Amino acid sequence: MTTTLIFVRHGQSLSNLGGYFTGNTDVELTELGHRQAELTAEYLDRYRIDHIYSSDLSRAYQTAEHTAARKQKAIVPDQSFREIYAGEWEGKSFQSLPILYPQSYDVWKNRISRACPDGGERVTELSMRVWGGVTRVLERHRGETVAIFTHATPVRTLAWRWFGFDIHTADEATLEKADALPFCSNASVSVVEYEEDGSFRLICYGYDEHLADVATALPKHLV
C-alpha cells in the first residue's frame, strides 16, 4: 500500500523579500507569494489529495489555503512542520548575521548539517522533529495522498533522507555531500511515495517549473 506525500515550501514571504532570517517569527506572504501559492495549487490539481497539513506559521498556512480552497479540504495545523527556531537570529538581516555571529553563521553556510543558530534549535533537532511529524502522517493516512505545507529547512532535512544522507550517523564525506544539497525554491513541490515496509521512491525534489518567471529563491551567497 503506497502513501504519497507532497511537500510544498511556502510562497515568497515578507521576510524573503526583506532579506532577513525568519525562523519561527510569524510573517505573511507577499502578493507574489500568493500568486506562487495559487500556481502551485493549480499544479497540484493533477493529484488526488486526501488530506492537507501545514506548519501553523502564517506563510505556510496561507500557501496551503490556496490548495485547500481548490480541493475543498480542511487544513490540519501541525507545529512539527515549522521552520527552525533561530534563537538570537530571529528577525535579523542576512547581511548582519556574519558580522554578529561569524563562527556559527559560517557553519550554517558551509556545514548546515551541523549548524545551530545561537540560542536556537540545532539542525539535527529540527530533522528529528520534522521526521516525527512525517511518521505520524504516514501512520494516520496509509494508502492516501497527503499534502504538507512547510518551510525550506524542514524540506532540506527530509531531502537528506531521500538522497541517502543520514546526518545523524554520517561520516565527514557523506556530510559534505549533504551540505551541498541546495534549498528548494518558494512554492516548490517535492513528492515521495512511501511503502508500508519503510521503503520509498522520490518522484521529485523542489520542482518549480510550474512557476515559470515568478519563481524565487534566496540568493546563493546568503545560505
Side-chain angles (χ1 to χ4, degrees):
M1 183 180 297
T2 303
T3 304
T4 301
L5 299 188
I6 302 168
F7 297 90
V8 181
R9 184 189 171 194
H10 63 79
Q12 185 193 62
S13 68
L14 291 171
S15 56
N16 293 151
L17 184 63
Y20 58 92
F21 202 111
T22 319
N24 278 194
T25 302
D26 203 16
V27 298
E28 298 187 344
L29 294 181
T30 63
E31 182 177 346
L32 176 60
H34 279 287
R35 175 60 179 153
Q36 292 170 334
E38 183 61 25
L39 288 172
T40 294
E42 293 173 8
Y43 175 76
L44 294 179
D45 281 346
R46 67 193 61 207
Y47 292 96
R48 182 204 79 238
I49 294 177
D50 301 297
H51 304 278
I52 297 175
Y53 282 71
S54 176
S55 157
D56 62 331
L57 296 175
S58 295
R59 58 195 187 275
Y61 199 91
Q62 289 176 345
T63 304
E65 286 178 326
H66 288 262
T67 297
R70 294 180 72 89
K71 298 293 188 181
Q72 296 187 322
K73 298 287 184 181
I75 303 170
V76 180
D78 190 329
Q79 291 187 2
S80 300
F81 302 117
R82 279 188 169 201
E83 182 55 280
I84 193 167
Y85 170 57
E88 296 175 24
W89 297 12
E90 296 269 338
K92 289 187 170 61
S93 71
F94 278 104
Q95 291 183 335
S96 71
L97 290 176
I99 299 170
L100 296 171
Y101 311 102
Q103 294 183 335
S104 55
Y105 186 62
D106 182 71
V107 174
W108 176 269
K109 286 187 62 177
N110 298 302
R111 297 194 65 201
I112 189 171
S113 62
R114 290 294 178 261
C116 181
D118 294 73
E121 185 178 22
R122 291 185 178 278
V123 170
T124 50
E125 294 170 337
L126 167 69
S127 173
M128 296 304 295
R129 165 166 63 82
V130 174
W131 181 243
V134 170
T135 299
R136 287 188 289 275
V137 169
L138 290 171
E139 290 173 347
R140 292 170 187 160
H141 304 297
R142 293 177 181 175
E144 297 183 295
T145 299
V146 182
I148 300 173
F149 290 78
T150 182
H151 305 262
T153 318
V155 176
R156 189 170 180 177
T157 65
L158 289 168
W160 289 333
R161 292 176 181 270
W162 303 332
F163 286 98
F165 307 138
D166 184 349
I167 64 167
H168 302 279
T169 62
D171 57 23
E172 288 301 313
T174 301
L175 288 176
E176 286 184 12
K177 294 177 182 178
D179 292 334
L181 192 69
F183 281 111
C184 61
S185 55
N186 291 115
S188 61
V189 176
S190 301
V191 182
V192 188
E193 295 178 345
Y194 288 92
E195 304 299 334
E196 289 195 77
D197 63 3
S199 62
F200 63 88
R201 183 164 71 102
L202 176 63
I203 305 302
C204 63
Y205 170 60
Y207 179 86
D208 66 358
E209 291 183 18
H210 60 286
L211 299 175
D213 59 351
V214 299
T216 56
L218 282 171
K220 294 185 182 302
H221 71 280
L222 296 182
V223 292

Coordinates of all heavy atoms in Angstrom, one line a residue, residues 91-130:
G91 N 14.6 37.3 13.0 CA 14.3 38.7 12.6 C 15.5 39.5 12.2 O 15.4 40.7 11.9
K92 N 16.7 38.9 12.3 CA 17.9 39.7 11.9 C 18.2 39.5 10.4 O 18.0 38.5 9.8 CB 19.1 39.2 12.7 CG 19.1 39.7 14.2 CD 20.3 39.3 14.9 CE 20.3 40.0 16.3 NZ 19.3 39.5 17.2
S93 N 18.8 40.6 9.8 CA 19.0 40.5 8.4 C 20.2 39.6 8.1 O 21.1 39.3 8.9 CB 19.4 41.9 7.8 OG 20.7 42.3 8.3
F94 N 20.1 39.0 6.9 CA 21.2 38.1 6.5 C 22.5 38.8 6.4 O 23.6 38.2 6.7 CB 20.8 37.4 5.1 CG 19.9 36.2 5.2 CD1 18.6 36.4 4.9 CD2 20.3 35.0 5.7 CE1 17.7 35.3 5.0 CE2 19.5 33.9 5.8 CZ 18.1 34.1 5.4
Q95 N 22.5 40.1 6.0 CA 23.7 40.8 6.0 C 24.4 41.0 7.3 O 25.6 41.1 7.4 CB 23.5 42.2 5.3 CG 23.1 42.1 3.8 CD 22.9 43.5 3.2 OE1 22.6 44.4 3.9 NE2 23.1 43.5 1.9
S96 N 23.6 41.0 8.4 CA 24.1 41.3 9.7 C 24.6 40.0 10.4 O 25.5 40.1 11.3 CB 23.1 41.9 10.6 OG 22.0 41.0 11.0
L97 N 24.1 38.8 10.0 CA 24.5 37.6 10.6 C 26.0 37.3 10.6 O 26.5 36.9 11.7 CB 23.7 36.4 10.1 CG 22.2 36.5 10.4 CD1 21.4 35.3 9.7 CD2 21.9 36.4 11.9
P98 N 26.7 37.4 9.5 CA 28.1 37.1 9.5 C 28.9 38.1 10.4 O 30.0 37.8 10.8 CB 28.5 37.2 8.0 CG 27.5 38.0 7.4 CD 26.2 37.7 8.1
I99 N 28.4 39.3 10.6 CA 29.0 40.2 11.5 C 28.8 39.9 13.0 O 29.7 40.0 13.8 CB 28.6 41.7 11.1 CG1 28.9 42.0 9.7 CG2 29.2 42.7 12.1 CD1 28.2 43.3 9.2
L100 N 27.5 39.6 13.3 CA 27.2 39.4 14.7 C 27.6 38.0 15.1 O 27.9 37.8 16.3 CB 25.7 39.5 14.8 CG 25.1 40.9 14.6 CD1 23.6 40.9 14.6 CD2 25.6 41.9 15.6
Y101 N 27.5 37.0 14.2 CA 27.8 35.6 14.6 C 28.7 34.9 13.6 O 28.2 34.0 12.9 CB 26.4 34.8 14.7 CG 25.4 35.6 15.6 CD1 24.4 36.3 14.9 CD2 25.4 35.5 16.9 CE1 23.4 36.9 15.7 CE2 24.5 36.2 17.7 CZ 23.5 36.9 17.1 OH 22.5 37.5 17.8
P102 N 29.9 35.4 13.5 CA 30.8 34.9 12.4 C 31.0 33.4 12.3 O 31.0 32.8 11.3 CB 32.1 35.7 12.6 CG 32.0 36.2 14.0 CD 30.6 36.4 14.3
Q103 N 31.2 32.8 13.5 CA 31.5 31.4 13.5 C 30.3 30.5 13.3 O 30.3 29.6 12.4 CB 32.2 31.0 14.9 CG 33.5 31.7 15.1 CD 34.2 31.2 16.4 OE1 33.5 30.9 17.3 NE2 35.5 31.3 16.4
S104 N 29.2 30.8 14.0 CA 28.0 29.9 13.9 C 27.4 30.1 12.5 O 26.8 29.2 11.9 CB 27.1 30.2 15.0 OG 26.7 31.6 15.1
Y105 N 27.4 31.4 12.0 CA 26.8 31.6 10.7 C 27.7 31.0 9.6 O 27.1 30.5 8.6 CB 26.6 33.1 10.4 CG 25.8 33.3 9.1 CD1 24.5 32.9 9.0 CD2 26.4 34.0 8.1 CE1 23.8 33.1 7.8 CE2 25.7 34.2 6.9 CZ 24.4 33.8 6.8 OH 23.7 34.0 5.6
D106 N 29.0 30.9 9.7 CA 29.8 30.2 8.8 C 29.5 28.7 8.7 O 29.5 28.2 7.6 CB 31.3 30.4 9.1 CG 32.2 29.8 8.1 OD1 32.3 30.3 7.0 OD2 32.8 28.7 8.5
V107 N 29.2 28.2 9.9 CA 28.8 26.8 9.9 C 27.5 26.6 9.2 O 27.3 25.7 8.4 CB 28.6 26.2 11.4 CG1 28.1 24.8 11.4 CG2 30.0 26.3 12.1
W108 N 26.5 27.5 9.4 CA 25.2 27.5 8.7 C 25.4 27.5 7.2 O 24.8 26.7 6.4 CB 24.4 28.6 9.1 CG 23.0 28.7 8.4 CD1 22.8 29.4 7.2 CD2 21.8 28.1 8.8 NE1 21.5 29.2 6.9 CE2 20.9 28.4 7.8 CE3 21.4 27.2 9.8 CZ2 19.5 27.9 7.8 CZ3 20.1 26.8 9.9 CH2 19.2 27.1 8.9
K109 N 26.3 28.4 6.7 CA 26.5 28.5 5.2 C 27.3 27.3 4.7 O 27.0 26.9 3.5 CB 27.3 29.8 4.9 CG 26.5 31.0 5.1 CD 27.3 32.2 4.6 CE 27.6 32.1 3.1 NZ 28.3 33.3 2.6
N110 N 28.2 26.8 5.4 CA 29.1 25.8 4.8 C 29.0 24.3 5.3 O 29.4 23.4 4.6 CB 30.6 26.2 5.0 CG 30.8 27.6 4.3 OD1 30.7 27.7 3.1 ND2 31.2 28.6 5.1
R111 N 28.4 24.2 6.5 CA 28.2 22.9 7.1 C 26.8 22.8 7.8 O 26.8 22.5 9.0 CB 29.3 22.5 8.1 CG 30.7 22.5 7.4 CD 31.7 21.8 8.4 NE 31.3 20.4 8.6 CZ 31.7 19.7 9.7 NH1 32.5 20.3 10.6 NH2 31.4 18.5 9.8
I112 N 25.8 23.1 7.1 CA 24.5 23.3 7.7 C 24.0 22.1 8.4 O 23.2 22.2 9.4 CB 23.5 23.7 6.6 CG1 22.2 24.1 7.3 CG2 23.3 22.7 5.6 CD1 21.2 24.8 6.3
S113 N 24.4 20.9 8.0 CA 24.0 19.7 8.7 C 24.4 19.7 10.2 O 23.9 19.0 11.0 CB 24.6 18.4 8.0 OG 26.0 18.4 8.1
R114 N 25.4 20.5 10.5 CA 25.9 20.6 11.9 C 25.6 22.0 12.5 O 26.2 22.3 13.6 CB 27.4 20.3 12.0 CG 27.8 18.8 11.7 CD 27.2 18.0 12.8 NE 27.5 16.5 12.6 CZ 26.6 15.7 12.1 NH1 25.4 16.1 11.7 NH2 26.9 14.4 11.9
A115 N 24.8 22.7 11.9 CA 24.6 24.1 12.3 C 23.6 24.2 13.5 O 22.7 23.4 13.7 CB 24.1 25.0 11.1
C116 N 23.7 25.3 14.2 CA 22.8 25.7 15.3 C 22.8 27.2 15.5 O 23.8 27.8 15.9 CB 23.2 25.0 16.6 SG 22.1 25.4 18.0
P117 N 21.7 27.9 15.1 CA 21.6 29.3 15.3 C 21.8 29.6 16.8 O 21.4 28.8 17.7 CB 20.2 29.6 14.9 CG 19.8 28.6 13.9 CD 20.5 27.3 14.4
D118 N 22.5 30.7 17.2 CA 22.8 31.0 18.6 C 21.5 31.1 19.4 O 20.6 31.8 19.1 CB 23.5 32.3 18.6 CG 24.9 32.2 18.0 OD1 25.0 32.2 16.7 OD2 25.9 32.2 18.7
G119 N 21.4 30.2 20.4 CA 20.3 30.2 21.3 C 19.1 29.5 20.6 O 18.0 29.6 21.2
G120 N 19.3 28.9 19.5 CA 18.1 28.3 18.8 C 18.2 26.7 18.7 O 18.9 26.1 19.5
E121 N 17.6 26.2 17.7 CA 17.4 24.8 17.5 C 18.5 24.2 16.6 O 18.8 24.9 15.6 CB 16.0 24.6 16.9 CG 15.6 23.1 16.7 CD 14.2 23.1 16.1 OE1 13.7 24.1 15.5 OE2 13.5 22.0 16.3
R122 N 19.1 23.1 17.0 CA 20.1 22.5 16.1 C 19.4 21.9 14.9 O 18.2 21.5 14.9 CB 20.8 21.4 16.8 CG 21.7 21.9 17.9 CD 22.5 20.7 18.5 NE 23.4 21.2 19.5 CZ 24.6 21.8 19.3 NH1 25.0 21.8 18.0 NH2 25.4 22.2 20.2
V123 N 20.1 21.9 13.8 CA 19.5 21.4 12.5 C 19.2 19.9 12.8 O 18.2 19.4 12.3 CB 20.4 21.6 11.3 CG1 20.0 20.8 10.1 CG2 20.5 23.1 11.0
T124 N 20.0 19.2 13.5 CA 19.8 17.8 13.8 C 18.5 17.6 14.6 O 17.7 16.6 14.4 CB 21.0 17.1 14.5 OG1 21.3 17.9 15.7 CG2 22.2 17.0 13.6
E125 N 18.2 18.5 15.5 CA 17.0 18.5 16.3 C 15.8 18.8 15.4 O 14.7 18.1 15.5 CB 17.0 19.5 17.4 CG 18.1 19.2 18.5 CD 18.3 20.4 19.5 OE1 18.0 21.5 19.1 OE2 18.7 20.1 20.6
L126 N 15.9 19.7 14.5 CA 14.9 20.0 13.5 C 14.6 18.8 12.7 O 13.4 18.4 12.5 CB 15.3 21.2 12.6 CG 14.4 21.4 11.4 CD1 13.0 21.9 11.8 CD2 15.1 22.4 10.4
S127 N 15.6 18.1 12.3 CA 15.4 16.9 11.4 C 14.6 15.9 12.1 O 13.7 15.3 11.5 CB 16.8 16.4 11.1 OG 16.7 15.1 10.4
M128 N 14.8 15.7 13.4 CA 14.1 14.7 14.2 C 12.6 15.1 14.4 O 11.7 14.3 14.3 CB 14.8 14.4 15.5 CG 16.1 13.7 15.4 SD 16.1 12.2 14.4 CE 15.1 11.2 15.4
R129 N 12.5 16.4 14.6 CA 11.1 17.0 14.8 C 10.2 16.8 13.6 O 9.1 16.3 13.7 CB 11.2 18.5 15.2 CG 9.9 19.2 15.1 CD 9.9 20.6 15.8 NE 10.8 21.5 15.2 CZ 10.6 22.3 14.1 NH1 9.5 22.1 13.4 NH2 11.5 23.2 13.7
V130 N 10.8 17.2 12.4 CA 10.1 17.1 11.2 C 9.8 15.6 10.8 O 8.7 15.3 10.4 CB 10.8 17.8 10.1 CG1 10.1 17.6 8.7 CG2 11.0 19.3 10.4

